[in-house]
Amino acid sequence: MEIGILILIFILGLCFGSFANVCIYRIPRNLNITNPPSYCVSCKSPVKWRDNLPIIGYLLLLGRCRGCGKAISPIYPIVEISCALLFCLLYVFYGLSVPFFLFCILAFALIVISGIDLEFQIIPDTFSLGLIAAGLVFSVFNYTLGVNVGERLLGSAFGIIAGGGFLLGMGVVGKIIFKKDAMGGGDIKLMAGVGACIGFERVLAAMFIASLLASVVGIFLIIGKKVEHKGYIPFGPYLAAGSLATLFLPSPWIMLNFFVDKVEAAFLFIV
């Protein structure tokens, strides 16, 4: 039965991943996400239903449009598989619970946001504000935020303040130091939305992980001359990666206590 549920969730994730591809392409171009039906972005010919099946369609077509023969970006199946695997992992960690459904919504939104930010350097407010609303509404049933309703509501509210407020503060300080905008408004609203879903402890950990990832990748990009020293690197994908990572890691306090214990043990050993 467990395997059957996982297979169903994997298929559901593929479908959401396919829809994520539609959102990534159409939303920043101000196109309707439901009409017209799927079409080739090169020749504009409609995609037949069998060619539109997640993963299967790409394999049947050998990665090329049936109409014009041009290559289909491998990003499409990558997004579909990523969404499906995330949904399955969330089920393994949280079971069929309210946090599972909420975090599936969060994962879907973060995938779309990452795809759009990478290409257009924008984060649509629709997703960020939607996450704030979803996080607050479902917080009453989100046991990861506390043991009772009061704690859960406060956890979600403090998550909004911590996520948005911390990045806002960084933006203000960065603007004073560098004399230019150091943090986009889209990033601030995004982490406010993430904070509403995962709470203030995890959202702070998410921003720490995101900053670490961005620093490491940025250094390699600069060394490889893929980006200039003062070039712009979209921060949204790193925030998304950090946020998703916290869903599968122990509580930040558990990790901090573990780190402190190891440091203390090493210090005592040396002494």
Side-chain angles (χ1 to χ4, degrees):
M1 185 64 180
E2 192 80 12
I3 297 298
I5 294 175
L6 271 174
I7 292 173
L8 288 174
I9 290 174
F10 186 81
I11 294 172
L12 180 67
L14 288 177
C15 294
F16 270 85
S18 180
F19 183 55
N21 281 321
V22 174
C23 294
I24 291 170
Y25 181 80
R26 297 192 183 191
I27 288 177
R29 294 174 173 84
N30 295 317
L31 300 174
N32 191 302
I33 60 174
T34 58
N35 188 53
S38 297
Y39 57 87
C40 172
V41 297
S42 298
C43 65
K44 309 303 180 184
S45 61
V47 177
K48 295 181 179 180
W49 69 269
R50 64 178 181 274
D51 296 336
N52 207 28
L53 294 173
I55 303 298
I56 297 175
Y58 185 84
L59 295 175
L60 289 174
L61 293 170
L62 300 178
R64 293 191 173 275
C65 172
R66 188 181 296 275
C68 64
K70 289 191 176 181
I72 301 170
S73 172
I75 293 298
Y76 290 103
I78 289 173
V79 167
E80 292 168 354
I81 293 175
S82 299
C83 194
L85 291 177
L86 281 171
F87 278 25
C88 287
L89 275 174
L90 287 169
Y91 171 72
V92 170
F93 274 75
Y94 299 97
L96 290 177
S97 61
V98 171
F100 164 73
F101 292 105
L102 175 61
F103 295 155
C104 280
I105 294 172
L106 175 62
F108 169 81
L110 291 176
I111 287 173
V112 175
I113 286 169
S114 297
I116 293 175
D117 197 27
L118 277 172
E119 185 175 358
F120 293 90
Q121 289 78 57
I122 58 171
I123 296 177
D125 288 347
T126 303
F127 289 95
S128 301
L129 299 179
L131 287 176
I132 293 175
L136 284 172
V137 169
F138 288 105
S139 64
V140 177
F141 309 101
N142 187 356
Y143 62 78
T144 66
L145 297 178
V147 296
N148 57 55
V149 173
E151 284 186 9
R152 294 168 186 175
L153 284 170
L154 285 175
S156 182
F158 285 145
I160 296 172
I161 296 171
F166 186 80
L167 284 191
L168 178 61
M170 285 180 61
V172 171
V173 173
K175 190 169 185 177
I176 293 173
I177 296 174
F178 301 110
K179 308 300 181 183
K180 65 177 183 177
D181 290 334
M183 191 64 61
D187 296 325
I188 295 169
K189 284 176 276 192
L190 168 60
M191 293 315 290
V194 171
C197 297
I198 66 177
F200 75 95
E201 294 179 3
R202 278 180 165 162
V203 79
L204 291 176
M207 289 185 287
F208 172 78
I209 295 172
S211 299
L212 187 62
L213 286 173
S215 299
V216 173
V217 174
I219 290 171
F220 278 103
L221 289 176
I222 292 172
I223 293 174
K225 296 183 179 180
K226 300 294 183 181
V227 66
E228 295 180 3
H229 181 66
K230 295 184 178 181
Y232 176 78
I233 300 175
F235 197 33
Y238 300 103
L239 291 172
S243 301
L244 290 172
T246 62
L247 299 179
F248 308 111
L249 293 173
S251 164
W253 295 116
I254 293 176
M255 291 190 290
L256 180 61
N257 289 332
F258 176 80
F259 177 75
V260 170
D261 289 342
K262 292 300 180 183
V263 171
E264 183 180 1
F267 177 77
L268 291 175
F269 177 77
I270 295 171
V271 173

